[in-house]
Amino acid sequence: MPVAKAYLTQLFLSTLYTLALFGSIMAAVLALPLVVPASLEQQLGVQPWMEQATSEPADLYCVLGAILVCVLGLFYRSMNRVVAPAKAGPRLNYQTATLLYMLAMSYGLAIFVTTGLAPQYRDCETYTQKLNGGVRQYRGLSFRVELCGAGPRESDRRDRVRLRIYDESGDLRAVRYFGVQWGRDFPALLEYSRDHLSYFDAGDEEDFARVIAMPPTLSDWVQTRIPLLD
């Protein structure tokens, strides 16, 4: 079989194997609390880990990222065996194409994972009123500041909040995510200045204020439209 045909065939099959393997491992990781007996949950720390992972999934992302790297390593190995018989020049081209394909596939999988694990933000009207959102005027233009929440955790009252800024036409101009811990005596309300708004992020270890330029910049507008950058 010609190398080109064998390469395309293996590319299709390896993609299916990679997606199936990664999906199976991801499903197993997420289903772990469901298969561990209740008597062992507290001893193993499974349930608290999953509760934290769904509200602040940084650790879970690291685990899934490591799994993805291993799976893509197997993918590259299977593809490299197919192009090994090719001459040096075409082999380099095939290897380059494989790496570019892996980048595109990893980006797509990352979007799938982050979308699947993202909190369900709701109660936008309540959060907008509670955190001092609403319509604001900047340079003669109206902007609507909308805030939605994922709901506080029972253990420590930490909450994840999504902040979105829309212009007069309803176009999304900026988006941010931050943490709030209800009941603590630090600022939770948004504050507005002449050329920016600020919010206090309780989700960071440092717990410090962040700012958004108002009106939002072109960079903010672009980031809202590129997955994983918003």
Side-chain angles (χ1 to χ4, degrees):
M1 181 184 296
V3 175
K5 185 175 181 180
Y7 178 83
L8 292 176
T9 302
Q10 186 64 34
L11 184 67
F12 175 73
L13 294 175
S14 295
T15 299
L16 292 181
Y17 294 152
T18 299
L19 295 178
L21 179 59
F22 181 74
S24 300
I25 296 175
M26 179 178 173
V29 170
L30 296 179
L32 184 61
L34 301 178
V35 298
V36 176
S39 59
L40 295 179
E41 285 183 355
Q42 185 175 1
Q43 181 179 355
L44 298 178
V46 174
Q47 193 65 33
W49 178 80
M50 288 303 299
E51 289 178 357
Q52 183 176 4
T54 53
S55 59
E56 298 180 11
D59 292 339
L60 183 56
Y61 287 157
C62 290
V63 172
L64 294 177
I67 294 172
L68 179 59
V69 170
C70 296
V71 171
L72 289 177
L74 295 175
F75 174 87
Y76 183 80
R77 182 182 178 184
S78 66
M79 295 303 303
N80 206 36
R81 281 184 296 192
V82 174
V83 303
K87 295 181 180 180
R91 183 168 64 248
L92 180 60
N93 293 335
Y94 283 124
Q95 291 172 340
T96 302
T98 300
L99 291 174
L100 293 176
Y101 185 83
M102 288 171 57
L103 287 175
M105 184 165 56
S106 61
Y107 183 64
L109 287 173
I111 294 174
F112 173 76
V113 169
T114 55
T115 301
L117 295 178
Q120 298 298 312
Y121 294 100
R122 56 191 182 275
D123 298 333
C124 298
E125 183 175 350
T126 300
Y127 278 84
T128 298
Q129 295 178 354
K130 186 179 296 186
L131 296 176
N132 196 29
V135 178
R136 304 288 168 168
Q137 299 287 330
Y138 281 91
R139 299 182 185 178
L141 301 175
S142 295
F143 294 91
R144 179 167 60 89
V145 181
E146 177 193 79
L147 298 113
C148 309
R153 292 192 312 209
E154 295 183 1
S155 57
D156 56 8
R157 302 294 293 167
R158 283 188 178 273
D159 201 349
R160 296 298 301 171
V161 177
R162 182 188 66 196
L163 186 159
R164 284 179 169 178
I165 301 174
Y166 298 88
D167 61 18
E168 294 176 319
S169 63
D171 191 28
L172 180 61
R173 297 288 300 273
V175 60
R176 295 290 191 276
Y177 301 91
F178 62 98
V180 172
Q181 187 167 10
W182 304 108
R184 283 183 57 184
D185 55 348
F186 61 76
L189 302 181
L190 270 63
E191 297 181 356
Y192 300 89
S193 300
R194 184 177 60 86
D195 58 357
H196 68 271
L197 67 82
S198 59
Y199 59 92
F200 195 84
D201 189 355
D204 286 346
E205 296 180 359
E206 298 285 331
D207 286 351
F208 59 88
R210 297 181 179 272
V211 300
I212 305 177
M214 293 295 288
T217 63
L218 176 61
S219 176
D220 285 320
W221 184 88
V222 171
Q223 289 179 18
T224 62
R225 284 151 179 81
I226 300 178
L228 303 184
L229 292 183
D230 60 357

